[in-house]
Amino acid sequence: MNKFCKLLLILLLSCPVLSAKDVLVKSPNGKMSVTIHCNKDRLTWEVSYDGTQVLTESEIGINGHFKGMKAKQKGCSAMLTNGSFGVEFRVEDQAAAYRIQSLSAKEINVGEEIAEWNFAGDYPAFIPYINDNRAGERWTYSFESYYDEQRLSEMFKDSLAINPLAVRLPDGKLAVIHDASVVDYPGMFLLKNGKHGLRAAFAPYVLEEKNDGYARLNLLPTRRADYIAKINKKTEMPWRIVSVTENDADLLTNDISRRYGPKCRLSDTSWIRPGKVAWDWWNNTNVTGVDFRAGMNTATYKYYIDFASKNHLEYIIIDEGWSSEESLTEGLNPDIDIPALLSYAKERGVRIILWSSWRNSIHDMEGAFKHYADMGVAGFKVDFFDRDDQNVQRSAWQIAECAARHHLLLDFHGYRPTGIQYAYPNILNFEGVKGLENSKWEPRDSKGPVHDQPRYDVTIPYLRMLVGPLDYTPGAMVNATRDCFFGNNNHPMSQGTRAHQVAMYVIYDAPLQMLADSPTKYMKEQETTDFIAQIPTVFDQSKALGGELGEYAVIARQKGNKWYISAMTNWTGRDIVINLDMLGTGKHKAEIFCDGINADRDATDYRHYTTTLEGGSNITVKLAPGGGWNAIVE
């Protein structure tokens, strides 16, 4: 039987109505079990996994309570209806999910959606609280959060958290709460609920807004409605999901977001080209050894184009500063000749992506997108969404559709992936992650950097990456041990080793992958650059080879006849065993890029060599504190 049971609504409706008030639905392998309680005036569900109770009774509702629900069930799915609303449940081997459906043709204002996740015990959790709200507006945030590691009872009252959020269950099992397929509805935040539970919270519908927030780049709501969304039976409501695994590493290559995502809306995707990008902003356009003044000017970007061409990178980005604060087509920076750069790049086989704020993108979107597509621009990095209320979700889909019509790629920043990338695969990447940019302003105390970036680096592959690709922007060539690191905006460095940075190019899913450091530094470190340049940004298949949330991660990805294998650790150095069954039998040539013997003292220390690996064997690799290991095998 297939691992994932999906039944069409027409089949569900053909099944007999259950007379019992409780409905039991099990996964194909019988481990995941969902009990749905159809009480007189409310609907609740419980979830258990292989003898461990995951969720105790947790309420599901919209605009009050669900009353008089009747159930129809077959196999691993169930449908409950009461004439006004329906709730579809799906249960698979490692996940249980439901979504609400409006059955009304009339538009309904959703005043409240109830979604609870009440756990059976006071378990440890990885909680990504929101902070640094734009101008103090509660629901306006960049979706970039470190993880507070607390027990559920210790959660901060009334502090919003974003999803996915992980809860450690007994016997080493892990539960992850997240949503999927958010189309025309606000994204889901999470709040503390009772002693050891969670409940959903949603940004209210926006009625009025103004330019404000960070550098006035945001559209900041000034008046919100007393409802969160407008829906009818055509509205695609999001899935509410609890994923459960016995092995953390299973999350590293879990495709649940795709399975629950919307269908592709493009008939032709052949023009969508993933690739690597030479990026200017993180390195502050600091290039040296040239005869021009580096900065936001034509000469500097010709230098970036030359670097990209020489190293077989598909794109460069011209980030903030090429356009005016208020327009993409008027008042442009006179020091940057976009037409000349497009011509120069085309001659060298490189394409250009332009930065834009969200509020500027939606001002004459059709005109601006057509204008730049006709000029030959490859796409836009759209920044400072910093919201996911229904208004913004609708806008994001409009941007994606318009860009696709004009064959423009997109990279969304200040926006958490919600499934839109499956409907519009021209969206190659999302930020919504505490990426490398944060090293530029990272504070430190007497013990070192305040935030533990390497631990975060080996947490996000399990959680943030579960819902979509992430624009972490790796590639720092100045690497530091914990005692040597300090934040520097103009000459930034990374926490952890050089091999740790290289490992991100395999471990992090990013079809549009940045090289964040200066072309000058990459040319001075050509050996590292050559290794990175070989790594694809999309792969034929991926295998999780080991790992533990917050500790380390090991992934192998295949492209053609080559395997790309990488491992990363937190500040704990460790020896790990990697099984090479995926290589098949026989001997295989391997190019290795790993921590040098002194990487614990100087994080730039690495070793690069070729060797032979035996398919089916086990190898032991050594990771320095904050370290990494990488292999390209054929």
Side-chain angles (χ1 to χ4, degrees):
M1 189 174 187
N2 290 337
K3 194 173 182 181
F4 175 62
C5 283
K6 179 178 180 181
L7 296 176
L8 296 175
L9 182 58
I10 189 171
L11 294 177
L12 288 168
L13 294 176
S14 69
C15 300
V17 176
L18 299 177
S19 59
K21 292 184 179 180
D22 291 346
V23 180
L24 177 64
V25 187
K26 289 191 174 184
S27 63
N29 68 3
K31 285 190 174 184
M32 185 76 80
S33 178
V34 171
T35 303
I36 307 161
H37 302 287
C38 307
N39 298 318
K40 183 178 180 181
D41 62 349
R42 62 200 297 262
L43 180 67
T44 62
W45 71 325
E46 296 182 67
V47 179
S48 63
Y49 180 87
D50 197 26
T52 299
Q53 186 167 24
V54 181
L55 300 180
T56 60
E57 274 201 67
S58 301
E59 187 172 356
I60 299 167
I62 199 166
N63 281 355
H65 302 301
F66 282 141
K67 299 179 180 180
M69 301 295 287
K70 295 182 180 180
K72 298 178 181 181
Q73 177 192 357
K74 188 171 183 179
C76 306
S77 300
M79 173 64 75
L80 285 76
T81 59
N82 67 356
S84 298
F85 290 97
V87 185
E88 180 184 0
F89 288 85
R90 295 182 187 173
V91 185
E92 54 179 288
D93 289 344
Q94 289 190 312
Y98 72 85
R99 65 175 171 183
I100 299 169
Q101 299 175 3
S102 173
L103 303 180
S104 173
K106 297 181 180 180
E107 190 170 78
I108 299 170
N109 289 348
V110 179
E112 178 187 33
E113 180 190 338
I114 300 171
E116 293 184 338
W117 319 86
N118 297 318
F119 285 87
D122 187 16
Y123 303 136
F126 282 70
I127 306 165
Y129 292 109
I130 75 167
N131 53 71
D132 190 26
N133 300 77
R134 304 305 190 195
E137 209 280 329
R138 178 170 173 80
W139 306 96
T140 303
Y141 178 59
S142 65
F143 303 93
E144 301 175 35
S145 300
Y146 291 112
Y147 294 89
D148 281 47
E149 297 178 41
Q150 301 171 302
R151 290 193 173 272
L152 291 168
S153 64
E154 298 169 341
M155 285 185 67
F156 305 129
K157 185 178 180 181
D158 296 329
S159 291
L160 294 167
I162 57 178
N163 78 84
L165 184 156
V167 178
R168 179 66 71 186
L169 303 174
D171 301 321
K173 299 182 180 76
L174 189 71
V176 182
I177 305 302
H178 55 106
D179 57 7
S181 198
V182 184
V183 178
D184 186 13
Y185 201 81
M188 183 176 70
F189 292 92
L190 295 167
L191 285 167
K192 183 178 182 180
N193 189 49
K195 291 184 179 179
H196 33 73
L198 305 165
R199 60 184 173 90
F202 304 92
Y205 194 87
V206 173
L207 299 174
E208 294 178 1
E209 57 196 4
K210 67 176 182 179
N211 294 352
D212 204 339
Y214 178 77
R216 296 185 70 254
L217 288 168
N218 294 107
L219 275 178
L220 194 75
T222 56
R223 188 163 71 94
R224 291 184 180 269
D226 59 358
Y227 52 87
I228 63 173
K230 298 174 179 287
I231 65 169
N232 58 34
K233 67 179 181 180
K234 294 182 180 179
T235 303
E236 298 181 47
M237 299 286 281
W239 287 98
R240 312 290 177 220
I241 304 174
V242 53
S243 295
V244 183
T245 181
E246 301 170 70
N247 180 4
D248 291 6
D250 289 343
L251 293 173
L252 294 173
T253 53
N254 190 309
D255 68 344
I256 190 168
S257 177
R258 180 180 296 278
R259 297 198 306 274
Y260 283 85
K263 294 181 180 179
C264 183
R265 298 192 180 186
L266 304 184
S267 58
D268 175 23
T269 59
S270 61
W271 57 273
I272 300 172
R273 302 292 176 87
K276 291 188 284 295
V277 186
W279 184 41
D280 57 349
W281 185 87
W282 191 77
N283 57 78
N284 201 29
T285 61
N286 273 323
V287 299
T288 58
V290 296
D291 59 0
F292 56 86
R293 183 69 174 171
M296 298 292 293
N297 57 55
T298 301
T300 298
Y301 286 106
K302 285 185 175 181
Y303 184 91
Y304 278 77
I305 290 166
D306 288 339
F307 165 74
S309 178
K310 178 182 177 181
N311 292 280
H312 310 291
L313 311 181
E314 291 83 355
Y315 301 98
I316 72 160
I317 280 183
I318 302 178
D319 214 282
E320 181 184 4
W322 69 272
S323 64
S324 74
E325 293 183 356
E326 306 298 333
S327 174
L328 296 181
T329 55
E330 298 179 359
L332 307 185
N333 185 341
D335 295 330
I336 300 177
D337 189 336
I338 297 294
L341 288 171
L342 288 167
S343 176
Y344 190 83
K346 184 177 181 180
E347 292 172 357
R348 288 154 181 79
V350 177
R351 300 199 68 194
I352 295 176
I353 295 170
L354 300 175
W355 178 95
S356 172
S357 66
W358 166 56
R359 68 176 177 85
N360 276 358
S361 295
I362 60 177
H363 177 69
D364 188 25
M365 177 170 56
E366 176 64 33
F369 280 13
K370 183 180 187 306
H371 171 73
Y372 286 106
D374 289 347
M375 289 176 61
V377 167
F380 281 89
K381 172 183 173 180
V382 184
D383 207 346
F384 290 95
F385 282 90
D386 294 355
R387 288 164 40 195
D388 70 347
D389 45 60
Q390 187 179 33
N391 314 64
V392 169
Q393 296 293 2
R394 286 177 175 172
S395 178
W397 283 69
Q398 290 164 358
I399 292 170
E401 187 277 332
C402 184
R405 275 193 287 109
H406 294 292
H407 286 194
L408 292 170
L409 304 176
L410 292 170
D411 178 7
F412 279 178
H413 274 226
Y415 186 93
R416 182 182 61 90
T418 57
I420 187 175
Q421 66 271 26
Y422 305 119
Y424 290 101
N426 56 313
I427 307 175
L428 292 180
N429 221 344
F430 302 84
E431 194 184 32
V433 66
K434 278 281 188 184
L436 191 68
E437 68 173 9
N438 290 272
S439 66
K440 288 165 71 75
W441 48 78
E442 171 64 27
R444 64 170 293 141
D445 56 25
S446 59
K447 298 179 181 178
V450 170
H451 297 104
D452 188 340
Q453 195 74 27
R455 184 167 181 82
Y456 181 79
D457 294 344
V458 290
T459 299
I460 52 176
Y462 299 89
L463 299 182
R464 166 58 183 80
M465 201 167 76
L466 185 67
V467 295
L470 62 167
D471 198 9
Y472 184 97
T473 67
M477 292 294 102
V478 179
N479 318 107
T481 58
R482 197 168 196 167
D483 61 324
C484 292
F485 176 88
F486 63 91
N488 187 314
N489 185 72
N490 293 329
H491 299 279
M493 63 183 71
S494 70
Q495 295 185 44
T497 71
R498 174 74 57 80
H500 183 93
Q501 286 288 303
V502 171
M504 294 175 182
Y505 288 88
V506 172
I507 291 178
Y508 292 165
D509 177 20
L512 190 69
Q513 183 63 282
M514 308 291 162
L515 275 72
D517 219 326
S518 163
T520 301
K521 289 179 180 173
Y522 285 122
M523 288 187 285
K524 290 179 179 178
E525 299 287 349
Q526 194 64 46
E527 189 174 28
T528 303
T529 304
D530 288 343
F531 191 90
I532 292 172
Q534 297 179 67
I535 302 172
T537 64
V538 293
F539 300 86
D540 300 328
Q541 65 167 317
S542 300
K543 293 183 178 294
L545 302 184
E548 181 182 343
L549 176 65
E551 296 294 325
Y552 72 101
V554 191
I555 294 180
R557 303 191 193 271
Q558 185 186 31
K559 183 72 171 180
N561 65 348
K562 292 184 179 181
W563 281 93
Y564 302 82
I565 310 170
S566 289
M568 282 196 306
T569 184
N570 57 17
W571 281 125
T572 300
R574 66 186 80 228
D575 293 342
I576 59 173
V577 177
I578 298 177
N579 178 269
L580 300 177
D581 281 349
M582 88 292 288
L583 298 180
T585 58
K587 296 183 182 297
H588 301 264
K589 179 183 176 182
E591 182 180 355
I592 309 296
F593 192 104
C594 62
D595 294 324
I597 193 170
N598 294 306
D600 60 329
R601 302 173 64 181
D602 182 342
T604 64
D605 186 33
Y606 67 87
R607 187 181 176 206
H608 179 217
Y609 62 97
T610 57
T611 189
T612 299
L613 297 178
E614 185 77 30
S617 67
N618 290 335
I619 59 171
T620 300
V621 303
K622 186 176 186 63
L623 303 178
W629 183 91
N630 308 274
I632 300 175
V633 189
E634 56 185 321

